[in-house]
């Protein structure tokens, strides 16, 4: 029995393509009218309680038996299944202990000739095809190698190509899993501004096809999430024949993968993040519109201008391509997602969180609140660790900071700058290792509410006068932000770096005419310790009336 997702998709397609009424849709699909109205309102069926029903005896295994018989059509003559061998495999591999041998034998006797006749081989003939504007597209993945953060890495390039104009969209992802497959479609639809009205051609990718049903033409068992995606955006899929036999059915995108790889990705691109490469690819896709395909008279851009108005519109409701997972945060404040680890704030240790695993990033939620976002880790057993997630713990354990993985990642990513290093060194020299590290952590906490360049500017200003406290850094960071917003030049360009931070000592000793930061002139006299120096002088014992002669002791009162 078909899943509700597929029934909803068929109802939406029949309503969209054939314009059937609710009554006709209900009659065609054998469902009630409320179900039809529900399908027309939303692509995803509402959850319902599963019905408990008894499994049929032979009907549940007919598809398995048919698959065994289809495999026999390509097997050696002396190694084909007998009815007794099929009966044994059903019992051993599928738990069919309630079936009788005679039932299986009679079904095999009837189905074997039918399947053999359906798989008759004909000589392959290629027929030239014409593609209507806005009607068809082709999709494929291709392997590419990228020097990613200094490491030669195997990645996967998603390619979407309109069959009429040849307009193509490319994206490089660390994986070709379903989240990359769906995200590539969404980017392609949004970039070209529409969706093909007839169908999109595919290989039998596991992201879309669960099972190829041989002997039934193009029939496939599709992934439910893929069916939901197609229903959401309103397009149909055309699956090519498996293997080399079906390669010519989407030859346009097969050639496009190789052309783009040779033209723009040779030699291997060198980037720190895949998003940098995809930004370059967006520009290359626009440049490629000026080329001519084969012996065409018009350019890709000219043909695309004719095709674009004929595409179906893209729905404003964006489909979430990420895979939803619920890992638990371990004692190191890390979650494990697809053989890689990602940090979250330490307060979530021991709690389950929700993860949206996308092709290029990993987003972590607590309920509906986003608590962490990381670029997707490509390396097996790799880590993405954010120093900010551990600051509250490091305030209690400052000695753990120097050798922490979070600090190493922050240095490698450039988030922990030379200014932070200089502040840490000055703070440790003044307040000791523990006190200096705590002062640094207080400064790092400022990054949560201030821009990174403002905090770095505040650090540099504080170091010019030897101030190693977070309060001074915060004041100077706000001042840096205000000056940047007003468009005025930095203070050090006007007054010199030694005047960036106001020093009251310098202000007191300075010329009253040189007013710093608008402070009024200080007319008070300089302080003196003369009165205290009198205490250091011994009294004259010969003239003092209270002097006690030598050798005598004073009497107590």
């Amino acid at each position: 029995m078909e899943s509700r997702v597929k029934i909803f998709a068929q109802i939406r397609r029949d309503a969209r393509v054939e314009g059937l009424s609710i009554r006709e849709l209900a009659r065609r699909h054998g469902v009630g009218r409320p179900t039809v109205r529900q399908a027309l309102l939303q692509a995803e069926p509402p959850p319902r309680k599963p019905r408990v029903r008894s499994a049929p005896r032979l009907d549940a295994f007919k598809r398995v038996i048919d698959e065994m018989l289809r495999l026999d059509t390509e097997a050696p003559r002396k190694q084909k299944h007998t009815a007794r061998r099929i009966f044994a495999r059903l019992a051993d591999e599928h738990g069919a202990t309630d079936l009788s041998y005679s039932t299986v034998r009679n079904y095999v006797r009837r189905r074997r000739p039918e399947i053999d006749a359906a798989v008759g081989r004909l000589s392959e003939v290629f027929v030239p095809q014409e593609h209507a504007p806005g009607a068809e597209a082709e999709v494929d993945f291709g392997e590419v190698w990228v020097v990613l953060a200094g490491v030669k890495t195997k990645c996967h390039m998603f390619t979407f190509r309109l069959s009429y104009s040849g307009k193509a969209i490319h994206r490089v992802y660390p994986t070709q899993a379903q989240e990359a497959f769906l995200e590539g479609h969404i980017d392609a639809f949004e970039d070209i501004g529409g969706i093909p009205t007839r169908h999109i051609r595919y290989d039998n990718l596991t992201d879309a096809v669960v099972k190829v049903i041989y002997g039934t033409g193009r029939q496939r068992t599709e992934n439910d999430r893929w069916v939901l995606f197609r229903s959401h955006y309103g397009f149909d899929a055309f699956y090519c024949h498996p293997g080399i036999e079906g390669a010519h059915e989407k030859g346009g995108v097969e050639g496009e993968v190789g052309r783009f790889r040779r033209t723009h990705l040779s030699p291997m691109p060198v980037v720190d993040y895949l998003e940098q490469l995809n930004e370059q690819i967006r520009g290359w896709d626009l440049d490629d519109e000026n080329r001519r395909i084969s012996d065409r008279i018009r350019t890709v851009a000219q043909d695309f201008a004719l095709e674009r108005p004929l595409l179906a519109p893209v729905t404003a409701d964006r489909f979430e391509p990420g895979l939803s997972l619920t890992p638990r945060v371990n004692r190191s404040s890390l979650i494990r997602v697809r053989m890689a680890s990602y940090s979250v704030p330490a307060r979530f240790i021991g709690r389950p969180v929700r993860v949206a695993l996308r092709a290029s990033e990993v987003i972590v939620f607590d309920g509906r609140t986003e608590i962490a976002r990381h670029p997707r880790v490509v390396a097996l057993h790799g880590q993405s660790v954010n120093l900010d997630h551990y600051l509250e713990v490091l305030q209690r354990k400052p000695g753990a900071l120097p050798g922490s993985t979070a600090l190493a990642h922050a240095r490698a990513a450039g988030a922990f700058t030379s200014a932070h290093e200089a502040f840490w060194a000055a703070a440790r020299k003044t307040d000791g290792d523990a006190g200096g590290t705590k002062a640094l952590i207080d400064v790092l906490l400022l990054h949560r509410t201030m821009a990174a360049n403002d905090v770095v500017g505040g650090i540099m200003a504080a170091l010019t006068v030897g101030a190693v406290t977070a309060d001074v850094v915060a004041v100077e960071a706000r001042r840096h932000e205000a000056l940047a917003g007003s468009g005025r030049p930095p203070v050090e360009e006007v007054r010199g770096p030694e005047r960036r931070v106001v020093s009251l000592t310098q202000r007191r000793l300075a010329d009253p005419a040189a007013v710093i930061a608008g402070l009024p002139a200080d007319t008070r006299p300089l302080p003196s310790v003369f009165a205290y120096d009198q205490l250091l002088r011994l009294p004259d014992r010969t003239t003092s009336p209270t002097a006690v002669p030598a050798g005598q002791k004073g009497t107590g009162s």
Side-chain angles (χ1 to χ4, degrees):
M1 184 176 179
E2 290 183 294
S3 69
R4 298 185 69 205
V5 171
K6 295 178 181 177
I7 293 176
F8 271 45
Q10 291 172 357
I11 292 173
R12 290 169 64 89
R13 179 188 179 280
D14 292 346
R16 182 181 72 251
V17 176
E18 302 181 29
L20 299 179
S21 66
I22 292 178
R23 176 182 295 176
E24 292 171 334
L25 290 171
R27 183 184 301 114
R28 172 177 290 188
H29 297 284
V31 297
R33 296 182 192 178
T35 302
V36 174
R37 293 188 181 95
Q38 211 169 41
L40 296 178
L41 287 176
Q42 60 183 39
E44 184 174 7
R48 66 179 184 182
K49 295 181 179 180
R51 291 182 298 173
V52 179
R53 55 187 178 181
S54 60
R57 293 192 177 183
L58 182 62
D59 290 343
F61 304 100
K62 285 182 178 179
R63 182 175 295 180
V64 177
I65 297 173
D66 289 351
E67 181 64 23
M68 294 180 187
L69 296 177
R70 289 189 188 94
L71 290 175
D72 283 349
T73 61
E74 300 179 359
R77 182 176 59 87
K78 295 184 178 181
Q79 290 181 262
K80 294 184 179 182
H81 287 86
T82 63
R84 191 168 296 280
R85 176 56 182 157
I86 291 176
F87 176 71
R89 286 189 62 186
L90 290 176
D92 295 339
E93 300 175 12
H94 302 279
T97 56
D98 295 333
L99 293 179
S100 65
Y101 168 70
S102 60
T103 303
V104 176
R105 180 196 60 201
N106 294 337
Y107 181 77
V108 171
R109 181 182 299 168
R110 178 175 59 86
R111 283 293 291 157
R112 191 189 295 274
E114 296 175 357
I115 291 176
D116 289 340
V119 186
R121 294 184 175 273
L122 298 175
S123 58
E124 191 71 29
V125 178
F126 298 151
V127 180
Q129 298 290 306
E130 290 289 336
H131 303 287
E136 300 179 37
E138 302 167 350
V139 166
D140 199 10
F141 269 108
E143 294 181 358
V144 295
W145 288 88
V146 178
V147 180
L148 185 61
V151 180
K152 181 181 176 183
T153 306
K154 179 182 177 180
C155 298
H156 304 271
M157 183 174 67
F158 173 90
T159 302
F160 178 99
R161 181 183 183 272
L162 291 173
S163 300
Y164 173 77
S165 65
K167 168 65 178 176
I169 302 296
H170 307 80
R171 292 292 184 271
V172 175
Y173 299 112
T175 175
Q176 59 175 349
Q178 190 181 68
E179 53 270 18
F181 185 59
L182 300 184
E183 190 171 316
H185 278 80
I186 296 173
D187 282 357
F189 294 158
E190 293 176 350
D191 279 10
I192 67 174
I195 300 173
T197 56
R198 185 181 178 191
H199 59 228
I200 302 176
R201 294 175 180 264
Y202 300 95
D203 282 332
N204 298 279
L205 301 168
T206 56
D207 304 313
V209 176
V210 176
K211 185 178 181 180
V212 178
I213 304 178
Y214 291 92
T216 58
R218 307 281 179 178
Q219 188 175 352
R220 305 289 188 269
T221 301
E222 295 181 297
N223 182 289
D224 277 355
R225 183 166 173 79
W226 169 239
V227 174
L228 177 62
F229 179 84
R230 289 198 300 102
S231 179
H232 180 89
Y233 282 103
F235 68 93
D236 294 328
F238 178 94
Y239 298 107
C240 302
H241 286 298
I244 195 66
E245 296 179 1
H248 68 279
E249 294 183 320
K250 57 179 186 62
V253 74
E254 295 277 356
E256 175 61 26
V257 170
R259 182 204 67 82
F260 191 88
R261 187 166 45 201
R262 292 188 302 269
T263 304
H264 299 294
L265 300 178
S266 298
M268 290 185 297
V270 180
V271 294
D272 291 329
Y273 302 100
L274 285 181
E275 184 56 36
Q276 298 175 3
L277 177 59
N278 283 326
E279 282 298 324
Q280 298 177 11
I281 288 176
R282 289 182 178 94
W284 294 334
D285 285 342
L286 293 176
D287 294 340
D288 284 346
E289 291 185 5
N290 298 321
R291 69 187 184 93
R292 287 178 171 82
I293 298 176
S294 187
D295 56 353
R296 295 186 184 181
I297 299 176
R298 294 184 298 270
T299 64
V300 171
Q302 291 170 335
D303 282 338
F304 180 56
L306 298 175
E307 185 172 30
R308 185 166 187 173
L310 302 176
L311 296 170
V314 181
T315 176
D317 185 12
R318 199 172 195 269
F319 190 89
E320 171 53 57
L323 180 65
S324 183
L325 304 171
T326 55
R328 185 175 293 274
V329 184
N330 64 20
R331 295 181 61 185
S332 298
S333 197
L334 298 172
I335 56 174
R336 192 77 168 169
V337 179
R338 289 281 178 86
M339 304 301 289
S341 298
Y342 303 88
S343 67
V344 299
R347 65 181 180 276
F348 295 100
I349 290 177
R351 293 171 51 182
V353 293
R354 182 171 63 88
V355 173
L357 177 63
R358 295 183 178 176
S360 302
E361 62 182 355
V362 174
I363 309 174
V364 187
F365 297 90
D366 176 42
R368 295 187 178 182
T369 304
E370 181 180 324
I371 59 175
R373 183 184 291 259
H374 297 270
R376 184 160 177 172
V377 175
V378 179
L380 189 66
H381 303 298
Q383 290 183 335
S384 178
V385 183
N386 190 339
L387 178 59
D388 181 74
H389 295 161
Y390 297 87
L391 294 182
E392 286 81 3
V393 176
L394 292 172
Q395 279 183 322
R396 302 192 306 270
K397 299 180 178 181
L401 177 62
S404 64
T405 303
L407 179 60
H409 280 243
R411 283 171 170 160
F416 197 82
T417 65
S418 57
H420 294 89
E421 298 279 9
F423 182 91
W424 194 12
R428 283 186 294 181
K429 185 176 180 181
T430 303
D431 302 329
D433 288 344
T437 301
K438 289 182 178 180
L440 171 68
I441 294 171
D442 290 339
V443 170
L444 293 175
L445 288 170
L446 297 176
H447 284 279
R448 295 182 177 179
T449 55
M450 298 182 180
N453 60 332
D454 293 331
V455 176
V456 171
I459 292 174
M460 299 304 296
L463 290 177
T464 58
V465 293
V468 288
T469 62
D471 293 339
V472 175
V473 174
V475 170
E476 287 304 312
R478 295 189 187 97
R479 188 178 178 199
H480 186 278
E481 179 184 11
L483 291 175
S486 65
R488 288 184 293 171
V491 178
E492 57 267 22
E493 294 182 6
V494 178
R495 300 171 180 168
E498 71 280 359
R499 297 294 179 86
R500 174 69 182 264
V501 178
V502 175
S503 170
L504 295 180
T505 302
Q506 293 179 1
R507 175 64 189 85
R508 181 175 57 81
L509 297 177
D511 183 1
V515 179
I516 300 176
L519 293 177
D522 190 354
T523 59
R524 295 176 297 177
L526 294 176
S528 172
V529 295
F530 176 77
Y532 296 96
D533 289 342
Q534 302 300 317
L535 299 176
L536 301 177
R537 299 178 183 176
L538 296 175
D540 188 355
R541 296 183 178 181
T542 58
T543 59
S544 175
T546 59
V548 180
Q552 297 184 6
K553 296 182 179 180
T555 58
S557 58

